[in-house]
């Protein structure tokens, strides 16, 4: 079977840094993706890690450690608009999603 | 707009009725996916096509569900004899096969409410 574990909720202050963790158990692992979804909206792609290490895209970074079956999404300089659900996902033909982490940014 | 387009965006139907959703993918994408999502959950895979071939179906896709992608372009998802448990958002997505990171692009979804 396959599983992706994320914290269900995270709260952080505007301007701060927050890390959302994802641990996985999959067969045939190819990489880890991250998607953002605002309430009522569609999931949108944020980043992908095919190799170990850190990928940076503006305020967002994502990290992967294959040996630890672990990754995280790092959001810096949090803004109110970052309040959303964040999903890690693994490709397997389709894309298998975790249950998501709801991030609430407070003033 | 060159993104993934879905319609209708909202559908309310009575239990037992049939409903059909349409998805128009990004034009150059050869893969098309259907997912279902309920509140507080991640998207759950239903099925996907590469061109016109349906390559995989989830066990979630009961015999009341059928998806087609004639000519490898748009796709339809039909739910027959709807049940209240079918109430969810149905998401369509598309991608290029073997694309870097298997990045898939989602439509805005079709909300189904079965009453």
């Amino acid at each position: 079977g396959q599983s992706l574990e994320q914290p269900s909720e995270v709260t952080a202050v505007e301007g701060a840094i927050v890390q959302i963790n994802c641990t996985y158990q999959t067969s045939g692992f190819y990489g880890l993706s991250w998607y953002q979804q605002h309430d009522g909206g569609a999931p949108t792609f944020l980043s992908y890690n095919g190799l170990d290490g850190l990928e940076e895209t503006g305020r967002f970074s994502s990290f992967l450690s294959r040996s630890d079956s672990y990754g995280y999404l790092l959001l810096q300089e949090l803004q109110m608009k970052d309040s959303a659900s964040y999903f890690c996902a693994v490709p397997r033909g389709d894309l298998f999603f975790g249950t998501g982490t709801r991030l609430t940014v407070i003033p | 707009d060159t993104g993934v387009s879905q319609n209708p965006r909202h559908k309310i139907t009575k239990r037992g009725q049939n409903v059909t959703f349409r998805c128009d993918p990004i034009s150059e994408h050869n893969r098309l996916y259907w997912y279902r999502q309920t509140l507080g959950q991640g998207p759950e895979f239903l099925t996907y096509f590469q061109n016109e071939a349906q390559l995989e179906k989830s066990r979630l896709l009961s015999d009341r569900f059928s998806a087609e992608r004639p000519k490898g372009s748009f796709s339809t998802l039909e739910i027959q004899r709807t049940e209240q448990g079918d109430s969810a958002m149905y998401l369509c997505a598309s991608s290029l096969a073997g694309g870097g990171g298997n990045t898939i692009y989602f439509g805005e979804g079709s909300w189904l409410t079965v009453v």
Side-chain angles (χ1 to χ4, degrees):
Chain A
Q2 293 174 308
S3 70
L4 292 166
E5 293 192 10
Q6 306 177 232
S8 58
E9 294 182 349
V10 172
T11 301
V13 177
E14 190 176 14
I17 299 172
V18 71
Q19 179 173 312
I20 298 173
N21 299 322
C22 174
T23 56
Y24 60 86
Q25 284 189 315
T26 69
S27 56
F29 180 79
Y30 300 103
L32 191 69
S33 296
W34 288 92
Y35 282 74
Q36 178 193 59
Q37 186 178 29
H38 288 98
D39 286 348
T44 56
F45 173 77
L46 287 177
S47 69
Y48 172 74
N49 293 76
L51 301 173
D52 283 5
L54 193 68
E55 293 284 340
E56 297 180 78
T57 309
R59 295 187 298 114
F60 294 179
S61 303
S62 58
F63 173 82
L64 175 65
S65 169
R66 288 172 178 256
S67 60
D68 295 321
S69 297
Y70 164 76
Y72 65 72
L73 180 69
L74 191 73
L75 295 83
Q76 303 181 74
E77 301 172 17
L78 280 173
Q79 302 176 9
M80 299 299 290
K81 68 178 182 179
D82 296 330
S83 293
S85 293
Y86 293 84
F87 297 92
C88 58
V90 292
R92 55 170 198 188
D94 68 303
L95 203 58
F96 176 73
F97 285 84
T99 53
T101 299
R102 186 172 182 86
L103 171 64
T104 301
V105 180
I106 58 176
Chain B
D1 184 6
T2 57
V4 178
S5 175
Q6 293 188 244
N7 66 82
R9 293 293 315 282
H10 301 273
K11 178 73 176 178
I12 300 174
T13 191
K14 292 183 178 179
R15 190 175 52 187
Q17 297 294 304
N18 299 345
V19 296
T20 299
F21 299 112
R22 175 178 169 129
C23 173
D24 289 273
I26 294 171
S27 58
E28 62 267 28
H29 286 179
N30 53 3
R31 281 198 177 174
L32 186 148
Y33 311 79
W34 285 100
Y35 285 81
R36 181 175 71 185
Q37 188 176 27
T38 54
L39 283 175
Q41 299 297 314
E44 296 176 296
F45 169 71
L46 293 178
T47 188
Y48 86 93
F49 295 83
Q50 182 156 317
N51 301 312
E52 66 274 12
Q54 190 171 18
L55 294 189
E56 191 170 342
K57 294 191 289 186
S58 162
R59 61 180 173 80
L60 293 175
L61 209 69
S62 75
D63 57 4
R64 297 185 298 105
F65 288 69
S66 63
E68 295 182 344
R69 193 184 184 197
K71 303 178 183 178
S73 56
F74 72 93
S75 175
T76 57
L77 177 69
E78 181 183 20
I79 309 173
Q80 297 181 324
R81 306 181 302 281
T82 52
E83 302 172 355
Q84 287 188 320
D86 297 331
S87 295
M89 180 165 68
Y90 291 85
L91 288 161
C92 177
S94 69
S95 75
L96 290 169
N102 201 33
T103 303
I104 67 174
Y105 299 86
F106 284 88
E108 294 295 319
S110 293
W111 288 91
L112 173 65
T113 302
V114 181
V115 297

